[in-house]
Amino acid sequence: MFDGHTMHYALILLVAASRFLPHPPNVACVGALGLFAGCYLAGRRAYLVPAAALLLSDVVGHLMGLPGMGLYSIVTMVAVYAGFIAAVPIGRLIEKIDGVWKYPALSLVASTAFFLISNFGVWLGPWYPNSIAGLAACYSNAVPFFGYTITGDLLFTAVLFGAMEFSRRPSVMRTFLPAFAAK
């Protein structure tokens, strides 16, 4: 029915589409997708999935002229993409750690990595003076957005990993997807 590649494409499209739904700033599924991809996808594909979801939504957002989405300062964009992609190696740790607490803990690590990396790129972009005072102002102005990032990452990490665990139960698959019952 679904092969691994179909799932990757579906996740890219689903996460890209989710960025167009009304939501508070920085409450996005991309960071959680990076954790998920790091945990479940091998090799470079794990890095490509969150990057592709972000790029697809940025290009469409740019073409549609949506504020807050699209193509902007290349330095800042590289940092934002790097911040999201940083979740992939963090996601690789999930299988190596025991306990249910690993999901929220690693989600917080990924949120913090995104905050540090992306806001460094914002500081390097055209919005802040390239000084220690500018760097401090950039990070302090971003603190409210950090709370939203944490909220989104925790929520969507629970949804993605919860859905995966839920789908692994044979009784669930037979109930909701009758095509699996015949196999």
Side-chain angles (χ1 to χ4, degrees):
M1 180 168 185
F2 286 112
D3 64 7
H5 294 295
T6 304
M7 181 189 77
H8 305 148
Y9 298 133
L11 284 171
I12 289 167
L13 291 174
L14 183 66
V15 170
S18 76
R19 292 190 67 213
F20 294 97
L21 298 174
H23 61 278
N26 283 32
V27 176
C29 193
V30 183
L33 180 60
L35 285 173
F36 189 82
C39 181
Y40 292 111
L41 303 178
R44 289 184 289 185
R45 188 175 304 143
Y47 294 91
L48 293 175
V49 167
L54 192 56
L55 182 62
L56 176 63
S57 58
D58 275 342
V59 168
V60 171
H62 183 78
L63 293 173
M64 294 175 65
L66 298 175
M69 291 185 71
L71 310 175
Y72 45 93
S73 163
I74 189 69
V75 171
T76 303
M77 282 186 72
V78 166
V80 168
Y81 280 65
F84 279 125
I85 290 171
V88 173
I90 296 166
R92 299 229 189 270
L93 299 173
I94 288 172
E95 294 296 319
K96 297 175 182 166
I97 300 173
D98 289 328
V100 73
W101 61 270
K102 64 186 173 184
Y103 299 104
L106 292 175
S107 179
L108 289 170
V109 171
S111 297
T112 303
F114 175 78
F115 174 81
L116 293 172
I117 295 167
S118 66
N119 285 298
F120 188 76
V122 169
W123 173 66
L124 291 175
W127 301 283
Y128 289 93
N130 286 27
S131 64
I132 297 299
L135 181 62
C138 178
Y139 279 110
S140 65
N141 288 336
V143 168
F145 296 101
F146 185 38
Y148 288 121
T149 300
I150 290 170
T151 300
D153 286 351
L154 286 171
L155 170 71
F156 291 115
T157 295
V159 168
L160 287 174
F161 285 94
M164 178 60 100
E165 290 304 315
F166 188 71
S167 73
R168 287 181 168 176
R169 298 174 187 217
S171 61
V172 170
M173 296 306 285
R174 282 192 296 274
T175 302
F176 292 105
L177 299 172
F180 283 97
K183 292 187 179 192

